[in-house]
């Protein structure tokens, strides 16, 4: 008997950048969840519609460029994404995809909102250009590729089951997982999916100890609720 694999959909289109969707798809394919990974977007075989998401276990929004132009492209999908997650689906957001999970603007999936990390006191990041940040991920310090990623702020009444997965060096939240309706959301500001080519293409020194473990943790966090 053939057992069907859970479907993971990764957005690829104008609200992402070349290479971002592919890196997220590669990470998801390496996870222990045996996903059938496919792309969804305006020029893909699958479009981002309620009918498409209805057959998915996971929807991933990768990194991209600026938030406002991306939101202009994605805003018409707000209700579709919210209904998918509230109905029991999983949302995975990386950098821009994490910004889009916030509320100002965004899908409004988080128990709080997002802001630019490099503007927070003590960030040690001087601007939006690519760099490396050390993130304390589940108690272990890991170097990660970073480019103008978000920090996450929680409301005082955040729901039970919300988990802070990682902190930046100044103590701000770098990654979290939280329930949304019957579903679950996991978001990260840096790029645990980034491979060596991300660093070399950006002129950033490849750090020692680079591995995908944190990204795989993030997938486990959103799927294991």
């Amino acid at each position: 008997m053939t057992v069907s694999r859970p479907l993971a959909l990764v957005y690829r289109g104008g609200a992402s950048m070349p290479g971002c969707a592919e890196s997220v798809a590669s990470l998801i394919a390496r996870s222990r969840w045996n996903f059938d990974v496919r792309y969804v977007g305006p020029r893909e075989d699958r479009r981002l519609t309620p009918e498409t998401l209805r057959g998915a276990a996971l929807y991933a929004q990768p990194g991209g460029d600026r938030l406002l132009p991306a939101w202009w492209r994605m805003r018409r999908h707000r209700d579709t994404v919210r209904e998918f997650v509230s109905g029991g689906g999983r949302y995975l957001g990386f950098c821009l995809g994490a910004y889009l999970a916030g509320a100002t603007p965004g899908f409004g999936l988080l128990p709080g909102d997002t802001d630019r990390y490099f503007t927070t006191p003590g960030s040690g990041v001087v601007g939006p250009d690519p760099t490396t940040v050390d993130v304390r991920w589940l108690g272990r310090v890991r170097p990660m590729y970073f480019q103008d990623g978000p920090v996450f702020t929680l409301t005082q009444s955040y729901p039970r089951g919300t988990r802070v997965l990682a902190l930046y060096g100044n103590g701000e939240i770098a990654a979290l997982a939280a329930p949304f309706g019957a579903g679950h959301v996991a978001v990260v500001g840096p790029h645990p999916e980034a491979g060596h080519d991300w660093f070399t293409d950006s002129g950033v020194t490849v750090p020692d100890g680079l591995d995908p473990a944190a990204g795989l943790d993030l997938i486990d966090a959103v799927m294991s609720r």
Side-chain angles (χ1 to χ4, degrees):
M1 181 178 68
T2 302
V3 178
S4 61
R5 299 161 62 195
L7 177 63
L9 296 175
V10 178
Y11 173 86
R12 184 165 64 178
S16 64
M17 292 185 68
C20 290
E22 292 80 4
S23 293
V24 168
S26 178
L27 179 70
I28 293 172
R30 295 177 65 176
S31 76
R32 64 185 178 92
W33 296 92
N34 193 33
F35 284 115
D36 178 13
V37 185
R38 306 286 177 167
Y39 294 109
V40 60
R43 296 185 179 181
E44 304 296 330
D45 292 338
R46 291 172 169 82
R47 303 296 179 92
L48 186 53
T49 65
E51 292 75 23
T52 300
L53 287 180
R54 197 170 295 132
L58 173 69
Y59 171 74
Q61 189 80 39
D65 195 2
R66 293 176 295 161
L67 174 58
L68 291 181
W71 176 241
W72 182 262
R73 294 176 181 271
M74 298 302 298
R75 61 181 182 167
R76 66 183 182 274
H77 302 299
R78 183 178 188 270
D79 290 345
T80 295
V81 173
R82 284 174 60 86
E83 289 169 9
F84 165 70
V85 183
S86 66
R90 267 61 172 169
Y91 178 98
L92 196 60
F94 297 80
C95 193
L96 178 61
Y99 277 116
L100 288 170
T104 55
F107 300 128
L109 301 174
L110 300 178
D113 208 351
T114 66
D115 202 351
R116 301 172 89 175
Y117 172 61
F118 83 82
T119 66
T120 62
S123 72
V125 179
V126 297
D129 293 334
T131 187
T132 302
V133 295
D134 286 333
V135 175
R136 183 168 293 279
W137 190 282
L138 297 176
R140 177 180 175 184
V141 176
R142 294 181 177 276
M144 291 187 189
Y145 186 93
F146 182 85
Q147 186 173 8
D148 198 9
V151 62
F152 306 100
T153 56
L154 294 175
T155 61
Q156 291 185 344
S157 58
Y158 59 83
R160 183 178 181 181
T162 300
R163 295 176 59 204
V164 173
L165 302 174
L167 299 175
Y168 290 108
N170 66 355
E172 298 284 357
I173 300 173
L176 64 83
F180 182 79
H184 213 56
V185 179
V187 288
V188 59
H191 288 276
E193 80 281 17
H196 286 69
D197 59 318
W198 285 49
F199 294 86
T200 55
D201 290 349
S202 300
V204 177
T205 301
V206 180
D208 295 332
L210 186 67
D211 65 54
L216 298 176
D217 288 341
L218 189 74
I219 297 170
D220 286 346
V222 79
M223 296 302 300
S224 299
R225 181 190 174 193

